[in-house]
Amino acid sequence: MNAIVLWAVAKFGKYLLFKDVRPTDLRIARFAPSRARDWLNKHAGKMALVREFIAAISVPSYRPGAPMRRIRSIGLDWVVLMGAVDLRDSRSTIMSRAAAWTRTKVGLLANVVTFCLCTGIAFRRHMWALFFHYDGAYALLLAQNQNLHPNRLLEFPNDFLQGIGGVAFLINYRMLPFFWPIRFISDPLGAKLAVYVVIAAAIFMFAYGLTRLLSPSRPAAIVAGWLLGLIATPVSPWLPIFYPILYSAPVFVLVVVWPLLAFWLICAMGRGSIRTDVLLGGLLAGWLLYLLGTCPFLVPIVAIGTLPYLALSLALARSGVELRRKVAVLTGVLSISLALRWPWYVIGLFRYTAPSMFPDDFNIVYTSAEYVSIMFQRQLFGWTGPLLVAASVAGAVLSIRAGAGGLRAAAWTLLITIGAFLCLGVIVPNVRWILPPPIYVEVALWPLYAMFAGLALVGAARALGAQFSRFARAPIYNIRSEWILPLPAALATFIIAHHPPTRSGFPYPPHSAGIVDILRKNVALGPEAEFRGRVATILPVDSQGGDPWTQQQTQAAEVATATGNDYLSIGLWYYLVPTLFEYNQFISPGFHALIKRALQIPPLLHQRNITVITTPNLRVMELLGVRYIIAPAAGNSLGAIRQVDSVVGKSLQLSELPRPNLASYSPTTVVIRHDLKSALDIVADDDVDLAETAVVYDDVPGPLVRANSTSLSMVDGDLHLAATSTGRSLIVVPVEYSHCLELSPARGDEPGTGVSLKRVQGVLTGVAFEHQLDVVLAFRMGPLHNPLCLFEDYQDFKMLSPSAPSAGSRQ
């Protein structure tokens, strides 16, 4: 067998040569790799690793006497490129080739180190672009706040700082390694810098790794890593020259990473033993579990983005047997997912949302082809995106003409996918597209773009070099490819570091003064703090002035620029001040319907992942636990005035409501309604005292008496509710009802007598009990714990609310 293979086996702890291998066997193995594989399979007992290695060798078109250009092990993390091997070579020759392979790895390491240094210098200069603008500051805030209330791994709590305590934004930052610097580095700027250097390095390595897996061109792999790493991350000293999704949402690096890891695992399936297939299937299922427990909101995007790689991995199967084994392993992974009820977990997440239940209540944001692909973004970010796609198409065409089988399959996959995006570029602007934009899915294809663009650039460079034979034969032309790019990259970094950075972004961390100081003192939530009310910010909206959220965000941004605090969202959440405002793709349909019915009159179309509150309905706000209102100065009409701040030529007034529900509403009258519309009609009726009347969907045993005393406080991120009563009582907790809520005793083994949870006032949680109550209310949901709870919420909501495209149509 090929001597380099035997040397590689020895490197991983096996024999260099078998004692019973004769020179004849070696010569036969050179020209008949299949016979070598058969011979080695006879030694399965002693040489299991050899069998795994040989099973992964790809020589489907090998001809006797032809040089073997490459040997690849997919099960191992290395690739050897070589020319024809003469098995009569001495051991010193073989070891010199091994040394060359080592130099290749050293060259890669030099590129990675240089790349990290260059991007680190650029990022340090452009700190404004790290966690860019509002969405970036929001991501940074969530990552920091999760460290205050550690929850179980692979589970999601509710977010008591936003809205009425619905499901938190579905990112588990503690499980993302590239966000760990935020937890362990005390310097905020240093933590941000470290996060983005890790992300940039990951992008470089995955673009490089994909190219090395499919192509024998080492220079193309280096070019692909540098190219994608530089344009996709905030290296440019100017405004973004490429779609800047990673500027503000660094978690989208998972859309790059996850499909490639799945691709490599699927490629390796069917090429080793059955035991190896089982292991690979387990790794794929574990990788899926990690995604579901870390960033489930990315699951649809990643799933669609993985489809081209799935098709490619199946197309790369070397035989029908391998293909069937791949399909069998994937079927096993699907069976595990069904057994653990993961499809219903994902369905519940996305169906139990306001945009899913009431699509007609939201503006269509994605109205142009610019939201489909980077190839259509010339007017937004210049020519970088279109040129990258054009170069990748050129590289794909060249690969179809002259590449190996795997590279040709990848080229066809890329061209077909680009064709699909071209079709979407025509369709999306002409339909009512309420779904996430296709460009999110395209992020998964960036490594393929970079790979074929790298092949095209390297091919063009070689073609140009061939035109000058004198230079082509000069020693400088033969310089090792690994050392070419670091030199100009270092020069470019020097230039960037001396270019004045663009100033932009959202002020973070926010400042505190005036109104914010009062709120921090009176309602901020610490780890063990008592719940003392929420804050509602009402900014004026012109019904004819365009998107309401855009209007409110513009006003908040002006305030933030002038004062360092937006008085609406991030500026308050940073100081743990709970708000009625919510920014979340998973806003519940119940909360949305209540806002449309009572807090947004007339109902307005707006963007899908936020709440827009325009009407200060004091009764309903008090029911929801609102204690303070921030609004333009309006005298005493909104409650007692506590502070007035002059901001950008306007006066913002802080008013305090007299009777907020701090789990202090204990109704004694029960009204039964069987649908959401009639329940919200009662809630919105000004003649109904919501502290005395409860609207429920099924009977509550009575008679009910008012609770004597109640308290609601935080405990490790959950809610501790305590109360006493002379009989049977019902407490209205200002937290959204959900099947994900779990009731457990705060002390002892029993939470109390006759304790049960009820849906009250349309959307809130009611706790019924007798005499004494001492419980912890915990919202728990994840792929391994309570995975069906949001799906059950969705089913309940469908029964309570007949199908309608708009919550406003119910009034």
Side-chain angles (χ1 to χ4, degrees):
M1 175 178 183
N2 194 308
I4 195 67
V5 175
L6 298 177
W7 175 86
V9 172
K11 180 174 178 63
F12 288 93
K14 297 300 180 181
Y15 302 106
L16 179 63
L17 293 172
F18 301 116
K19 294 181 180 179
D20 54 349
V21 174
R22 300 185 301 276
T24 303
D25 295 320
L26 291 176
R27 284 192 292 272
I28 293 174
R30 177 189 178 190
F31 298 105
S34 61
R35 179 166 176 175
R37 182 167 58 250
D38 294 339
W39 185 92
L40 287 166
N41 280 337
K42 296 178 182 178
H43 298 74
K46 296 187 299 182
M47 300 298 295
L49 183 58
V50 175
R51 185 176 69 250
E52 300 297 327
F53 181 78
I54 298 300
I57 294 178
S58 176
V59 283
S61 58
Y62 183 76
R63 300 187 307 276
M68 293 177 60
R69 297 301 301 174
R70 69 185 297 223
I71 291 175
R72 181 198 303 121
S73 168
I74 295 180
L76 306 174
D77 61 346
W78 62 280
V79 178
V80 177
L81 297 181
M82 51 175 290
V85 175
D86 190 338
L87 294 174
R88 295 170 296 182
D89 283 346
S90 64
R91 179 182 176 86
S92 61
T93 302
I94 296 173
M95 296 310 293
S96 68
R97 288 177 177 166
W101 177 81
T102 302
R103 286 195 300 272
T104 299
K105 298 305 179 186
V106 173
L108 172 61
L109 180 61
N111 272 270
V112 173
V113 172
T114 306
F115 176 80
C116 291
L117 289 175
C118 292
T119 53
I121 293 172
F123 294 159
R124 182 64 183 86
R125 183 68 171 169
H126 313 135
M127 293 298 292
W128 62 270
L130 311 185
F131 294 98
F132 179 65
H133 219 267
Y134 184 88
D135 284 349
Y138 182 52
L140 187 59
L141 172 74
L142 292 177
Q144 292 174 334
N145 283 352
Q146 281 189 6
N147 295 328
L148 301 177
H149 303 295
N151 292 295
R152 302 172 188 172
L153 299 179
L154 302 178
E155 291 184 8
F156 295 95
N158 58 346
D159 190 348
F160 209 60
L161 285 178
Q162 299 190 44
I164 53 176
V167 63
F169 192 80
L170 295 175
I171 302 179
N172 192 340
Y173 289 98
R174 296 176 302 124
M175 294 287 292
L176 298 173
F178 48 89
F179 273 96
W180 290 350
I182 294 176
R183 186 173 186 180
F184 297 111
I185 298 178
S186 57
D187 178 24
L189 297 182
K192 292 169 60 176
L193 182 63
V195 167
Y196 271 87
V197 169
V198 173
I199 288 174
I203 291 174
F204 180 99
M205 288 304 301
F206 276 87
Y208 173 89
L210 178 66
T211 308
R212 295 294 282 127
L213 183 62
L214 294 172
S215 166
S217 175
R218 201 162 51 244
I222 295 292
V223 170
W226 277 95
L227 178 63
L228 187 58
L230 290 178
I231 66 174
T233 57
V235 171
S236 168
W238 306 277
L239 290 175
I241 60 173
F242 188 74
Y243 181 49
I245 184 66
L246 295 178
Y247 288 43
S248 57
V251 72
F252 262 75
V253 72
L254 288 179
V255 182
V256 175
V257 170
W258 202 100
L260 292 184
L261 287 178
F263 172 63
W264 286 327
L265 290 174
I266 298 171
C267 280
M269 294 173 185
R271 297 182 177 180
S273 64
I274 299 299
R275 180 174 56 185
T276 303
D277 285 350
V278 173
L279 175 61
L280 293 171
L283 290 175
L284 184 60
W287 187 223
L288 178 58
L289 172 63
Y290 175 80
L291 181 64
L292 291 171
T294 302
C295 297
F297 85 98
L298 287 177
V299 168
I301 297 170
V302 169
I304 300 173
T306 304
L307 290 178
Y309 293 100
L310 174 62
L312 178 58
S313 63
L314 296 178
L316 292 178
R318 301 166 189 166
S319 64
V321 173
E322 180 183 326
L323 179 61
R324 288 192 292 272
R325 288 176 61 181
K326 290 180 186 294
V327 173
V329 176
L330 293 175
T331 303
V333 174
L334 178 61
S335 299
I336 293 173
S337 302
L338 293 173
L340 295 176
R341 300 169 292 182
W342 289 346
W344 292 271
Y345 168 70
V346 176
I347 292 171
L349 287 176
F350 289 93
R351 288 295 282 153
Y352 188 62
T353 61
S356 172
M357 301 302 296
F358 306 121
D360 288 354
D361 284 350
F362 300 95
N363 277 332
I364 303 303
V365 178
Y366 312 118
T367 57
S368 70
E370 294 167 341
Y371 296 102
V372 173
S373 171
I374 57 175
M375 72 180 85
F376 302 119
Q377 292 187 337
R378 183 186 64 81
Q379 292 184 346
L380 283 179
F381 307 116
W383 284 99
T384 306
L387 287 177
L388 177 64
V389 177
S392 68
V393 170
V397 172
L398 292 174
S399 298
I400 290 173
R401 295 183 59 186
L407 198 57
R408 284 198 298 269
W412 279 115
T413 301
L414 178 69
L415 293 178
I416 292 172
T417 308
I418 290 177
F421 279 102
L422 286 172
C423 294
L424 287 173
V426 176
I427 295 172
V428 169
N430 297 295
V431 299
R432 196 172 189 278
W433 191 273
I434 192 68
L435 300 173
I439 197 170
Y440 287 174
V441 176
E442 191 191 31
V443 174
L445 298 178
W446 287 359
L448 271 178
Y449 288 164
M451 180 183 76
F452 284 106
L455 288 170
L457 292 174
V458 170
R462 285 176 175 170
L464 291 175
Q467 300 298 320
F468 304 94
S469 57
R470 182 172 63 86
F471 294 102
R473 294 189 180 93
I476 191 173
Y477 182 77
N478 294 320
I479 187 172
R480 296 194 63 82
S481 60
E482 290 85 351
W483 304 98
I484 295 176
L485 286 175
L487 299 178
L491 177 62
T493 302
F494 177 80
I495 296 173
I496 289 174
H498 285 77
H499 187 282
T502 302
R503 297 296 178 183
S504 182
F506 190 87
Y508 193 91
H511 298 163
S512 174
I515 288 176
V516 179
D517 284 340
I518 295 176
L519 297 177
R520 291 176 62 186
K521 178 181 178 181
N522 293 326
V523 296
L525 290 174
E528 306 291 336
E530 182 181 359
F531 175 68
R532 294 171 292 175
R534 294 188 170 96
V535 178
T537 301
I538 302 177
L539 299 176
V541 169
D542 181 1
S543 60
Q544 304 299 320
D547 181 74
W549 164 238
T550 301
Q551 295 183 53
Q552 290 190 337
Q553 187 184 36
T554 300
Q555 297 175 61
E558 292 175 353
V559 173
T561 302
T563 67
N565 196 299
D566 66 352
Y567 287 60
L568 172 68
S569 55
I570 295 175
L572 302 180
W573 297 331
Y574 181 83
Y575 296 106
L576 303 182
V577 174
T579 69
L580 195 60
F581 173 81
E582 184 173 1
Y583 181 36
N584 192 339
Q585 281 83 348
F586 298 91
I587 295 172
S588 76
F591 185 37
H592 170 80
L594 175 60
I595 290 175
K596 289 291 184 182
R597 182 67 181 85
L599 302 177
Q600 189 189 101
I601 301 175
L604 302 170
L605 297 178
H606 57 81
Q607 295 184 32
R608 60 184 171 84
N609 56 349
I610 45 85
T611 57
V612 173
I613 298 173
T614 61
T615 304
N617 188 321
L618 304 188
R619 292 175 54 260
V620 175
M621 286 188 169
E622 286 182 327
L623 170 69
L624 300 179
V626 173
R627 178 179 173 185
Y628 291 102
I629 296 177
I630 300 175
N636 295 323
S637 61
L638 299 180
I641 300 175
R642 299 304 182 202
Q643 176 75 21
V644 177
D645 286 353
S646 180
V647 180
V648 291
K650 302 176 183 178
S651 295
L652 286 180
Q653 174 179 302
L654 179 67
S655 304
E656 184 175 5
L657 302 183
R659 198 176 58 160
N661 176 22
L662 311 179
S664 52
Y665 281 20
S666 181
T668 56
T669 302
V670 172
V671 178
I672 299 176
R673 292 292 184 268
H674 299 291
D675 62 275
L676 182 65
K677 177 184 181 303
S678 59
L680 294 184
D681 286 342
I682 294 177
V683 170
D685 188 346
D686 291 338
D687 295 329
V688 176
D689 186 348
L690 297 176
E692 298 293 336
T693 302
V695 185
V696 298
Y697 295 99
D698 52 15
D699 194 19
V700 178
L704 297 177
V705 299
R706 186 175 302 161
N708 294 333
S709 63
T710 61
S711 67
L712 184 65
S713 58
M714 305 296 296
V715 51
D716 295 330
D718 299 323
L719 295 175
H720 177 209
L721 177 63
T724 59
S725 171
T726 59
R728 183 164 182 81
S729 297
L730 176 67
I731 295 176
V732 179
V733 183
V735 175
E736 186 167 11
Y737 177 83
S738 171
H739 287 86
C740 300
L741 287 173
E742 297 178 348
L743 202 63
S744 61
R747 301 176 186 86
D749 298 328
E750 296 294 335
T753 305
V755 177
S756 62
L757 297 180
K758 301 285 185 180
R759 182 189 291 269
V760 299
Q761 316 300 42
V763 296
L764 297 181
T765 301
V767 181
F769 72 100
E770 292 182 15
H771 300 296
Q772 186 149 356
L773 179 70
D774 191 7
V775 297
V776 172
L777 277 174
F779 186 103
R780 290 288 182 271
M781 180 270 299
L784 297 179
H785 179 81
N786 214 5
L788 297 181
C789 62
L790 286 182
F791 185 75
E792 293 170 350
D793 287 343
Y794 163 64
Q795 290 181 310
D796 279 0
F797 194 82
K798 283 176 56 180
M799 291 189 296
L800 296 174
S801 181
S803 178
S806 170
S809 65
R810 301 171 180 279
Q811 297 177 33

PDB file of all heavy atoms in Angstrom, residues 622-633:
ATOM      1  N   GLU A 622     -52.425  49.320  35.116  1.00  0.00           N
ATOM      2  CA  GLU A 622     -52.317  48.920  36.525  1.00  0.00           C
ATOM      3  C   GLU A 622     -52.502  47.413  36.671  1.00  0.00           C
ATOM      4  O   GLU A 622     -51.804  46.758  37.456  1.00  0.00           O
ATOM      5  CB  GLU A 622     -53.345  49.678  37.364  1.00  0.00           C
ATOM      6  CG  GLU A 622     -52.996  51.140  37.592  1.00  0.00           C
ATOM      7  CD  GLU A 622     -54.029  51.836  38.465  1.00  0.00           C
ATOM      8  OE1 GLU A 622     -55.227  51.469  38.379  1.00  0.00           O
ATOM      9  OE2 GLU A 622     -53.653  52.740  39.231  1.00  0.00           O
ATOM     10  N   LEU A 623     -53.452  46.846  35.928  1.00  0.00           N
ATOM     11  CA  LEU A 623     -53.654  45.399  35.961  1.00  0.00           C
ATOM     12  C   LEU A 623     -52.368  44.658  35.593  1.00  0.00           C
ATOM     13  O   LEU A 623     -52.029  43.627  36.185  1.00  0.00           O
ATOM     14  CB  LEU A 623     -54.770  45.009  34.994  1.00  0.00           C
ATOM     15  CG  LEU A 623     -54.950  43.510  34.726  1.00  0.00           C
ATOM     16  CD1 LEU A 623     -55.494  42.809  35.975  1.00  0.00           C
ATOM     17  CD2 LEU A 623     -55.857  43.278  33.532  1.00  0.00           C
ATOM     18  N   LEU A 624     -51.631  45.193  34.631  1.00  0.00           N
ATOM     19  CA  LEU A 624     -50.406  44.551  34.149  1.00  0.00           C
ATOM     20  C   LEU A 624     -49.190  44.869  35.013  1.00  0.00           C
ATOM     21  O   LEU A 624     -48.073  44.490  34.662  1.00  0.00           O
ATOM     22  CB  LEU A 624     -50.131  44.971  32.702  1.00  0.00           C
ATOM     23  CG  LEU A 624     -51.227  44.613  31.693  1.00  0.00           C
ATOM     24  CD1 LEU A 624     -50.857  45.111  30.308  1.00  0.00           C
ATOM     25  CD2 LEU A 624     -51.492  43.117  31.679  1.00  0.00           C
ATOM     26  N   GLY A 625     -49.395  45.545  36.109  1.00  0.00           N
ATOM     27  CA  GLY A 625     -48.301  45.820  37.038  1.00  0.00           C
ATOM     28  C   GLY A 625     -47.535  47.086  36.761  1.00  0.00           C
ATOM     29  O   GLY A 625     -46.442  47.284  37.315  1.00  0.00           O
ATOM     30  N   VAL A 626     -48.067  47.977  35.918  1.00  0.00           N
ATOM     31  CA  VAL A 626     -47.371  49.222  35.607  1.00  0.00           C
ATOM     32  C   VAL A 626     -47.533  50.199  36.768  1.00  0.00           C
ATOM     33  O   VAL A 626     -48.658  50.500  37.184  1.00  0.00           O
ATOM     34  CB  VAL A 626     -47.901  49.848  34.305  1.00  0.00           C
ATOM     35  CG1 VAL A 626     -47.281  51.227  34.080  1.00  0.00           C
ATOM     36  CG2 VAL A 626     -47.611  48.938  33.126  1.00  0.00           C
ATOM     37  N   ARG A 627     -46.408  50.688  37.249  1.00  0.00           N
ATOM     38  CA  ARG A 627     -46.422  51.666  38.342  1.00  0.00           C
ATOM     39  C   ARG A 627     -46.054  53.061  37.853  1.00  0.00           C
ATOM     40  O   ARG A 627     -46.570  54.054  38.368  1.00  0.00           O
ATOM     41  CB  ARG A 627     -45.452  51.225  39.433  1.00  0.00           C
ATOM     42  CG  ARG A 627     -45.344  52.190  40.607  1.00  0.00           C
ATOM     43  CD  ARG A 627     -44.380  51.671  41.653  1.00  0.00           C
ATOM     44  NE  ARG A 627     -44.121  52.638  42.709  1.00  0.00           N
ATOM     45  CZ  ARG A 627     -43.237  52.472  43.691  1.00  0.00           C
ATOM     46  NH1 ARG A 627     -42.533  51.333  43.741  1.00  0.00           N
ATOM     47  NH2 ARG A 627     -43.048  53.399  44.599  1.00  0.00           N
ATOM     48  N   TYR A 628     -45.155  53.134  36.862  1.00  0.00           N
ATOM     49  CA  TYR A 628     -44.693  54.421  36.350  1.00  0.00           C
ATOM     50  C   TYR A 628     -44.943  54.504  34.852  1.00  0.00           C
ATOM     51  O   TYR A 628     -44.836  53.513  34.123  1.00  0.00           O
ATOM     52  CB  TYR A 628     -43.198  54.614  36.611  1.00  0.00           C
ATOM     53  CG  TYR A 628     -42.840  54.806  38.068  1.00  0.00           C
ATOM     54  CD1 TYR A 628     -42.305  53.763  38.810  1.00  0.00           C
ATOM     55  CD2 TYR A 628     -43.027  56.032  38.697  1.00  0.00           C
ATOM     56  CE1 TYR A 628     -41.959  53.930  40.137  1.00  0.00           C
ATOM     57  CE2 TYR A 628     -42.692  56.213  40.029  1.00  0.00           C
ATOM     58  CZ  TYR A 628     -42.166  55.166  40.741  1.00  0.00           C
ATOM     59  OH  TYR A 628     -41.835  55.328  42.064  1.00  0.00           O
ATOM     60  N   ILE A 629     -45.250  55.722  34.390  1.00  0.00           N
ATOM     61  CA  ILE A 629     -45.415  56.012  32.964  1.00  0.00           C
ATOM     62  C   ILE A 629     -44.466  57.134  32.589  1.00  0.00           C
ATOM     63  O   ILE A 629     -44.416  58.172  33.262  1.00  0.00           O
ATOM     64  CB  ILE A 629     -46.862  56.411  32.624  1.00  0.00           C
ATOM     65  CG1 ILE A 629     -47.819  55.250  32.892  1.00  0.00           C
ATOM     66  CG2 ILE A 629     -46.971  56.854  31.172  1.00  0.00           C
ATOM     67  CD1 ILE A 629     -49.283  55.594  32.642  1.00  0.00           C
ATOM     68  N   ILE A 630     -43.702  56.910  31.516  1.00  0.00           N
ATOM     69  CA  ILE A 630     -42.859  57.958  30.945  1.00  0.00           C
ATOM     70  C   ILE A 630     -43.530  58.414  29.662  1.00  0.00           C
ATOM     71  O   ILE A 630     -43.794  57.611  28.757  1.00  0.00           O
ATOM     72  CB  ILE A 630     -41.442  57.445  30.650  1.00  0.00           C
ATOM     73  CG1 ILE A 630     -40.762  56.952  31.920  1.00  0.00           C
ATOM     74  CG2 ILE A 630     -40.604  58.543  29.989  1.00  0.00           C
ATOM     75  CD1 ILE A 630     -39.399  56.326  31.675  1.00  0.00           C
ATOM     76  N   ALA A 631     -43.826  59.706  29.579  1.00  0.00           N
ATOM     77  CA  ALA A 631     -44.518  60.240  28.411  1.00  0.00           C
ATOM     78  C   ALA A 631     -44.238  61.731  28.328  1.00  0.00           C
ATOM     79  O   ALA A 631     -43.759  62.341  29.301  1.00  0.00           O
ATOM     80  CB  ALA A 631     -46.028  59.983  28.518  1.00  0.00           C
ATOM     81  N   PRO A 632     -44.497  62.345  27.159  1.00  0.00           N
ATOM     82  CA  PRO A 632     -44.396  63.807  27.094  1.00  0.00           C
ATOM     83  C   PRO A 632     -45.279  64.452  28.154  1.00  0.00           C
ATOM     84  O   PRO A 632     -46.331  63.912  28.527  1.00  0.00           O
ATOM     85  CB  PRO A 632     -44.882  64.119  25.675  1.00  0.00           C
ATOM     86  CG  PRO A 632     -44.589  62.881  24.896  1.00  0.00           C
ATOM     87  CD  PRO A 632     -44.804  61.748  25.852  1.00  0.00           C
ATOM     88  N   ALA A 633     -44.844  65.590  28.656  1.00  0.00           N
ATOM     89  CA  ALA A 633     -45.526  66.253  29.758  1.00  0.00           C
ATOM     90  C   ALA A 633     -47.017  66.396  29.479  1.00  0.00           C
ATOM     91  O   ALA A 633     -47.423  66.894  28.429  1.00  0.00           O
ATOM     92  CB  ALA A 633     -44.906  67.617  30.010  1.00  0.00           C
TER      93      ALA A 633
END
